[in-house]
Amino acid sequence: GLFYDMRAGKSHSSLLAYQIAKAQGKVDHLIIVCPKTILDVVWEPICNQQHVDAYAMVNGAAEDEIAMDQGYDAFLISFSSLWRRFGILERHLDLSRCFIILDETSKIKNAHTKRFYGCKLLTLNAPYVVLLTGTPMTQGPGDIWTQYYIINRGATFCSTFNQFEQYWVMNEGYGKYRLRYGKRVDFQIALQSRTLRYLRSECDQYSGKDKSFRYIECAPTEEQIQDTELVVSGMVRDIESGELTDINTMILVVKGFLREICCGYCKAQDESGVYNRWRHSYDSKALWIHSW
């Protein structure tokens, strides 16, 4: 479980783990399951940045089946489509040689859904399963069982939800649960042994509370250098037209722009006064992870 805070590098970390496993000959393909809304606008660009040739399974069953034998490294599929398209994946890929990434696993917190059952089938023999979410327990500790069942089939939190409920949690009604008396420390230890969790406040400094990280100096990209020079001179490039426009040169505004650039973003104000942001062609998080 990579339960990092939002924008702390979950997707890049998991993708780099796949690339290492692939380079070592431990896996053949990558399967990414995520909400449909981020399939082609988030994961496809990230895969392209990392030189992972990915196919988004959104073109209909017949076309998707043809694409399975076209030499793609990765296949992207939504939670809602997984149940229907699982047969295609099973026919064309050796699932025991696939690296599985499940993103936004709040979508599988209910054990009585086809989404959960599809993920259960997909990960049955997979050697590597990585779960990504910044909010693993929005409704309380009862949310964690389905996610850890996908990871290790109950080795952490019992093989059935009934057993989990009897040993770990108490139902408070309306689907909400609290930990049983005396189980808090054991629950925390069980989570920490099989989870990586970092908050934005820790990741911003690249130094967790355990102080196991070291500072790494990364050379800025050409894009970052150009945007920095523009901002220092009081200018910013318009997102759509590419034309230069003035910015408010107040020191706090300039500092805000420079911080965005360091994080791999830039921004510009449209006619309505709203700031729009866009990501640089090479993301700073990816640059740092590769260097690390």
Side-chain angles (χ1 to χ4, degrees):
L2 294 188
F3 298 153
Y4 299 175
D5 213 351
M6 229 168 60
R7 284 205 185 152
K10 294 186 293 293
S11 52
H12 285 298
S13 297
S14 58
L15 199 55
L16 187 59
Y18 155 72
Q19 290 175 302
I20 292 171
K22 178 75 180 290
Q24 294 175 347
K26 296 177 179 179
V27 296
D28 298 325
H29 293 93
L30 169 67
I31 299 174
I32 300 172
V33 187
C34 63
K36 188 175 182 179
T37 52
I38 63 173
L39 197 70
D40 51 0
V41 298
V42 174
W43 272 106
E44 205 166 8
I46 288 175
C47 288
N48 290 334
Q49 286 176 10
Q50 302 286 58
H51 306 291
V52 175
D53 194 11
Y55 174 80
M57 299 177 68
V58 295
N59 301 305
E63 191 170 336
D64 287 348
E65 185 134 23
I66 293 171
M68 301 300 292
D69 299 317
Q70 299 300 311
Y72 290 100
D73 298 316
F75 297 92
L76 318 180
I77 188 168
S78 68
F79 283 107
S80 55
S81 296
L82 178 60
W83 170 254
R84 299 193 305 272
R85 304 286 172 84
F86 175 75
I88 296 176
L89 294 170
E90 189 178 36
R91 284 193 295 274
H92 293 270
L93 302 178
D94 180 357
L95 297 181
S96 67
R97 295 273 304 170
C98 286
F99 192 107
I100 311 296
I101 296 174
L102 305 180
D103 191 14
E104 298 295 347
T105 51
S106 57
K107 299 294 183 182
I108 57 168
K109 289 179 181 178
N110 188 340
H112 304 290
T113 61
K114 289 182 178 179
R115 289 179 179 182
F116 172 71
Y117 194 63
C119 293
K120 180 179 173 181
L121 287 174
L122 180 66
T123 58
L124 179 61
N125 296 307
Y128 300 98
V129 180
V130 182
L131 269 58
L132 312 180
T133 179
T135 54
M137 293 183 285
T138 52
Q139 298 294 320
D143 291 347
I144 208 68
W145 182 81
T146 51
Q147 298 172 80
Y148 270 82
Y149 184 86
I150 292 298
I151 293 176
N152 57 32
R153 292 307 191 265
T156 303
F157 289 119
C158 305
S159 57
T160 69
F161 186 80
N162 286 339
Q163 293 173 349
F164 173 74
E165 188 174 8
Q166 291 171 13
Y167 185 80
W168 289 102
V169 296
M170 295 180 65
N171 191 341
E172 293 187 311
Y174 303 104
K176 293 188 177 181
Y177 294 85
R178 64 178 175 86
L179 287 173
R180 290 184 177 275
Y181 180 75
K183 293 295 183 184
R184 180 173 295 276
V185 173
D186 289 345
F187 186 78
Q188 290 174 343
I189 292 172
L191 281 176
Q192 290 170 358
S193 66
R194 292 176 174 85
T195 302
L196 291 176
R197 169 75 168 169
Y198 281 101
L199 305 179
R200 284 290 302 280
S201 57
E202 296 171 327
C203 295
D204 282 347
Q205 301 302 320
Y206 300 123
S207 180
K209 291 179 180 177
D210 56 8
K211 303 299 179 187
S212 62
F213 287 109
R214 297 293 179 267
Y215 288 97
I216 295 173
E217 185 175 348
C218 300
T221 64
E222 288 297 322
E223 199 172 5
Q224 286 175 312
I225 292 171
Q226 292 172 7
D227 283 337
T228 299
E229 290 174 347
L230 284 174
V231 167
V232 170
S233 65
M235 307 290 286
V236 66
R237 197 179 304 279
D238 185 80
I239 298 172
E240 296 181 356
S241 68
E243 297 178 356
L244 300 182
T245 57
D246 292 328
I247 63 170
N248 184 341
T249 53
M250 191 176 119
I251 185 64
L252 290 179
V253 175
V254 172
K255 181 181 177 182
F257 272 98
L258 293 177
R259 182 176 179 182
E260 294 288 322
I261 293 167
C262 290
C263 293
Y265 294 86
C266 202
K267 62 186 178 184
Q269 197 172 22
D270 60 25
E271 294 179 356
S272 65
V274 176
Y275 280 106
N276 293 308
R277 301 183 182 190
W278 71 97
R279 193 182 288 272
H280 283 166
S281 57
Y282 199 89
D283 187 89
S284 292
K285 286 189 294 188
L287 184 68
W288 179 82
I289 289 170
H290 278 303
S291 301
W292 187 81

